[in-house]
Amino acid sequence: MSIELNSSVKPFKYIIHMADIHIGSAGKNESRYVEYRTIFARAKAMTDIYSPNETLVAILGDVFHNNNRYSGEDIALFKYLLHLFKDYEIL
């Protein structure tokens, strides 16, 4: 069996892989908002050495801790993460 790849897809030199972030994993009366923002900013700072034109950011696994319950804060954190990597291709 032969698989032909789409030639219009650009190759990436680097892949930044993040997985199982579990946003919203704090207890009901706890918030990890500042902690998550700090960690996301550190992750972005670590990737600044890679050109966005050559790099794919893969955010995989469990992004949210609960698959059917999110808060506005959880959504805001995920939007913040996406914003940090806005210049990169994101999978």
Side-chain angles (χ1 to χ4, degrees), residues 22-24 62-70 74:
H22 285 270
I23 294 172
D62 298 328
V63 173
F64 296 102
H65 186 67
N66 298 295
N67 64 0
N68 60 356
R69 187 180 73 231
Y70 329 105
D74 299 341

Side-chain angles (χ1 to χ4, degrees), residues 13-26:
K13 189 172 182 180
Y14 307 101
I15 298 175
I16 297 168
H17 177 235
M18 291 183 258
D20 297 319
I21 299 168
H22 285 270
I23 294 172
S25 60

